[in-house]
């Protein structure tokens, strides 16, 4: 699994690169802040909602600090997802490195 820092992901997104942005946090966290165009599938719902994801698409997994997303990304890899990326540092690092106006919690 690849790891990307938020600044690296932001640079890719600015070029038009459009991976699936999979946020695995809880709805209350999502409601506080999230990346534009991300989809929310809380980690606990992931097994039941796998059908919503494309195994062949590049999928960047996002959480608060990068720990839950790492575990979710590893899980996806074990199921045959071929291009999974963990957002290292999560939305907390996104707020630090990319969008200082993003709410923090």
């Amino acid at each position: 699994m690849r790891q990307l820092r938020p600044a690296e992901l932001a640079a890719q997104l600015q070029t038009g690169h459009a991976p699936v942005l999979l946020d695995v946090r809880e709805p209350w966290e999502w409601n506080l802040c999230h990346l534009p165009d991300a989809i929310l599938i809380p980690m606990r719902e992931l097994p039941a909602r796998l059908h919503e994801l494309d195994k062949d698409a590049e999928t960047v997994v996002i959480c608060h600090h990068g720990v839950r997303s790492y575990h979710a990304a590893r899980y996806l890899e074990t199921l045959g997802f071929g291009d999974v990326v963990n957002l290292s540092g999560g939305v907390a690092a996104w707020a630090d490195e990319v969008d200082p106006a993003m709410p923090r919690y």
Side-chain angles (χ1 to χ4, degrees), residues 8-89:
E8 295 170 307
L9 177 60
Q12 289 182 6
L13 295 173
Q14 286 177 346
T15 68
H17 184 70
V20 173
L21 302 177
L22 172 62
D23 195 318
V24 296
R25 296 175 300 145
E26 293 298 313
W28 70 267
E29 294 174 287
W30 168 271
N31 290 335
L32 292 173
C33 63
H34 58 271
L35 274 63
D37 300 319
I39 59 169
L40 175 64
I41 302 179
M43 192 168 170
R44 62 185 158 75
E45 296 177 13
L46 198 51
R49 296 180 59 189
L50 287 171
H51 65 277
E52 297 177 34
L53 301 171
D54 179 353
K55 283 187 174 185
D56 297 322
E58 179 184 16
T59 303
V60 178
V61 188
I62 303 162
C63 71
H64 189 198
H65 287 110
V67 177
R68 278 178 286 176
S69 57
Y70 175 83
H71 291 290
R74 296 289 300 165
Y75 173 69
L76 292 175
E77 284 184 326
T78 67
L79 296 174
F81 284 75
D83 194 3
V84 183
V85 180
N86 181 46
L87 184 63
S88 181

